[in-house]
């Protein structure tokens, strides 16, 4: 899982909103028009659609969303050298971390433990190896000695990494930011929205009374939709090992198998639904890193479900 890039897997494999044909009963007759925002989150495209909110209120909420996304990037972005995560990787320890930082770390480590390391935020040293030539066996073995979720200590007042260990949260942070934005809007009374800060989550319904629908894009055919899925009341995350390539020569996909330390190759892509975007994001990453036969065991009791998978 690399640092976020300006051309990310979410540009290539974006879950596209699909407008369904047919008339529906409007949820809010003569109510305000939908308000839509598009921008960036963690280096990839982000969007937000609000229904049933007066325009002035909606615009003020959008401003709060943009500020929240910027604050979350200041914690989790590897693209920003001044982020808290970047500092943690450099220094190996940070004191008095914000609650959001320790919250996401604890969730990431919990998923890592539950999946037996198929999802593991400590793979950043491996990703660094694959930016160049394929690593020699000895080099890979040495890097693997720094990988393991148990090498991260999270306390209320301190986060500490074992020597050599570094983190990436790119397999979970986009979903977490989607959830934080959703919670913010729910707290202000918004009941009908589609939030996508890298992983989409739908609340309520569209203005015509229909469920939010998302199209799962074909990674090999621009503009082609493989399937549409309802997303009202849940989140969908898609992971594709070769959606972003690590090295300039295009040999290595960005999702690494933490167990063996090599780029994952078993899946073309996998889409996972869950109650939260955080869980959908992490479980889709875990499944994409492992063999298809492990999918059911990796889901475990998370409540997630594979809605579409395409093996390599």
């Amino acid at each position: 899982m690399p640092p976020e890039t300006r051309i990310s897997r979410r540009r290539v494999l974006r879950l596209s909103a699909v407008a369904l044909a047919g008339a529906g009963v409007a949820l809010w007759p003569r109510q305000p028009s939908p308000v839509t925002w598009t921008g960036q989150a963690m280096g990839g495209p982000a969007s937000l659609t609000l229904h049933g909110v007066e325009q002035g209120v909606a615009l003020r909420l959008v401003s709060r969303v943009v500020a929240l996304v910027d604050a979350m990037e200041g914690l989790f972005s590897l693209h920003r050298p001044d982020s808290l995560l970047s500092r943690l990787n450099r220094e190996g320890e940070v004191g008095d971390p914000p609650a959001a930082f320790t919250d996401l770390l604890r969730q990431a480590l919990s998923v890592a433990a539950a999946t037996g390391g198929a999802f593991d935020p400590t793979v950043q040293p491996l990703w660094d190896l694959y930016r160049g030539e394929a690593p020699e066996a000895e080099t890979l073995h040495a890097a693997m000695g720094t990988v393991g979720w148990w090498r991260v200590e999270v306390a209320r007042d301190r986060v500490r990494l074992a020597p050599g260990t570094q983190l990436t949260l790119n397999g979970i942070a986009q979903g977490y930011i989607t959830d934080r934005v959703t919670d913010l809007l729910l707290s202000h009374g918004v009941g009908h929205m589609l939030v996508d800060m890298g992983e989409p989550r739908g609340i309520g319904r569209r203005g015509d009374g229909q469920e939010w629908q998302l199209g799962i894009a074909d990674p090999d055919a621009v503009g082609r939709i493989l399937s549409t899925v309802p997303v009202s009341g849940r989140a969908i995350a898609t992971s594709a090992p070769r959606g972003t390539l690590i090295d300039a020569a295009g040999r290595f996909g960005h999702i690494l198998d933490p167990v063996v330390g090599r780029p994952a190759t078993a899946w073309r892509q996998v889409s996972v639904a869950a109650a939260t975007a955080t869980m959908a994001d992490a479980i889709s990453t875990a499944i994409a890193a492992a063999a298809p036969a492990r999918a059911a065991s990796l889901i475990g009791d998370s409540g997630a479900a594979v809605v579409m998978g395409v093996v390599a």
Side-chain angles (χ1 to χ4, degrees), residues 263-285:
T265 59
W267 294 88
R268 283 176 57 222
Q269 70 180 51
V270 60
S271 297
V272 170
T276 67
T278 305
M279 186 59 66
D281 198 3
I283 295 296
S284 72
T285 302

Side-chain angles (χ1 to χ4, degrees), residues 164-176:
T165 296
Q166 293 188 328
L167 300 179
T168 173
L169 294 171
N170 285 348
I172 192 172
Q174 289 88 347
Y176 184 78

Side-chain angles (χ1 to χ4, degrees), residues 142-153:
M144 287 291 289
T146 68
V147 173
W149 76 91
W150 57 87
R151 297 172 61 84
V152 184
E153 178 188 337

Side-chain angles (χ1 to χ4, degrees), residues 8-9 18 75 100 104 159 231:
S8 73
R9 68 179 172 92
V18 177
L75 298 180
L104 181 52
V159 177
V231 73

Side-chain angles (χ1 to χ4, degrees), residues 73-274:
E73 288 185 336
L75 298 180
F76 308 130
S77 174
L78 288 177
H79 184 75
R80 290 174 52 167
D82 63 337
S83 75
L84 187 59
L85 181 60
S86 293
R87 182 158 69 88
L88 174 62
N89 282 345
R90 284 194 305 269
E91 300 175 8
E93 182 177 327
V94 294
D96 297 319
F101 193 72
T102 55
D103 179 34
L104 181 52
L105 281 181
R106 287 193 175 100
Q107 291 193 57
L109 298 177
S110 176
V111 175
T115 61
F119 172 87
D120 193 324
T122 67
V123 297
Q124 184 61 25
L126 297 178
W127 188 88
D128 288 337
L129 288 183
Y130 286 99
R131 285 190 297 179
E133 298 295 326
E136 298 290 338
E138 289 186 5
T139 304
L140 179 59
H141 179 74
M144 287 291 289
T146 68
V147 173
W149 76 91
W150 57 87
R151 297 172 61 84
V152 184
E153 178 188 337
V154 181
R156 183 190 59 78
D157 62 345
R158 189 169 308 280
V159 177
R160 180 181 293 118
L161 305 179
T165 296
Q166 293 188 328
L167 300 179
T168 173
L169 294 171
N170 285 348
I172 192 172
Q174 289 88 347
Y176 184 78
I177 295 172
T178 289
D179 288 336
R180 291 296 297 261
V181 169
T182 300
D183 290 343
L184 170 67
L185 295 170
L186 286 171
S187 73
H188 283 81
V190 180
H192 304 275
M193 63 184 117
L194 182 64
V195 180
D196 183 355
M197 301 296 126
E199 308 294 1
R201 179 178 174 185
I203 299 292
R205 291 176 179 261
R206 304 183 326 172
D208 60 4
Q210 300 292 319
E211 283 193 276
W212 296 106
Q213 296 281 333
L214 293 171
I216 299 177
D218 188 336
D220 300 321
V222 176
R224 181 184 174 211
I225 301 298
L226 292 178
S227 178
T228 60
V229 295
V231 73
S232 293
R234 64 179 184 170
I236 305 288
T238 292
S239 294
R242 292 187 64 81
T244 295
L245 301 175
I246 293 177
D247 62 315
R251 295 164 298 174
F252 309 124
H254 75 295
I255 294 180
L256 304 177
D257 180 347
V259 176
V260 298
R262 299 191 182 279
T265 59
W267 294 88
R268 283 176 57 222
Q269 70 180 51
V270 60
S271 297
V272 170

